[in-house]
Amino acid sequence: HKTIAGVGFELYQNQPNPFLTKTVIGFHLPEAADVKLTIFDETGRTLMTKNGNYAKGYNRILFDSEKIEATASLLYYRIETANFNSTRKMVKTK
């Protein structure tokens, strides 16, 4: 991902998508921030949360679905900071 001047908070589509077990979730922060990643299924059941402090600019989190109990193929991921939040869909293949 190229960093574009003036980009604010951005949550990118996971790569690859669909994925078998591992996928990368990328996001861009306008400033360093505490970030909470939540993975959940279509019923809203939380499957995993991860908290961390991330630098200004482009960041990525590797998600390994083997570490959670995910029977659903359609999952959602949400990134939250004090000032922003965004949610996207991802597809897990069997």
Side-chain angles (χ1 to χ4, degrees):
H1 290 280
K2 291 189 169 53
T3 303
I4 301 154
V7 167
F9 175 81
E10 200 72 51
L11 177 57
Y12 301 109
Q13 187 63 53
N14 60 300
Q15 295 294 329
N17 187 46
F19 67 100
L20 191 56
T21 56
K22 292 183 174 73
T23 189
V24 172
I25 297 169
F27 56 98
H28 184 277
L29 297 174
E31 61 206 17
D34 288 322
V35 171
K36 178 180 176 188
L37 167 70
T38 307
I39 309 285
F40 54 99
D41 65 18
E42 66 267 26
T43 68
R45 184 171 70 102
T46 298
L47 303 172
M48 187 197 100
T49 58
K50 179 180 167 111
N51 294 294
N53 188 272
Y54 291 88
K56 174 181 177 172
Y58 180 75
N59 294 275
R60 41 192 253 161
I61 298 173
L62 177 67
F63 170 60
D64 183 350
S65 67
E66 291 180 326
K67 294 191 163 68
I68 63 163
E69 278 184 50
T71 51
S73 58
L74 180 60
L75 300 173
Y76 295 86
Y77 58 99
R78 180 169 58 231
I79 292 276
E80 296 172 85
T81 71
N83 301 318
F84 307 100
N85 73 74
S86 185
T87 304
R88 283 185 176 257
K89 278 185 222 181
M90 61 182 168
V91 178
K92 180 184 179 330
T93 56
K94 304 231 183 290

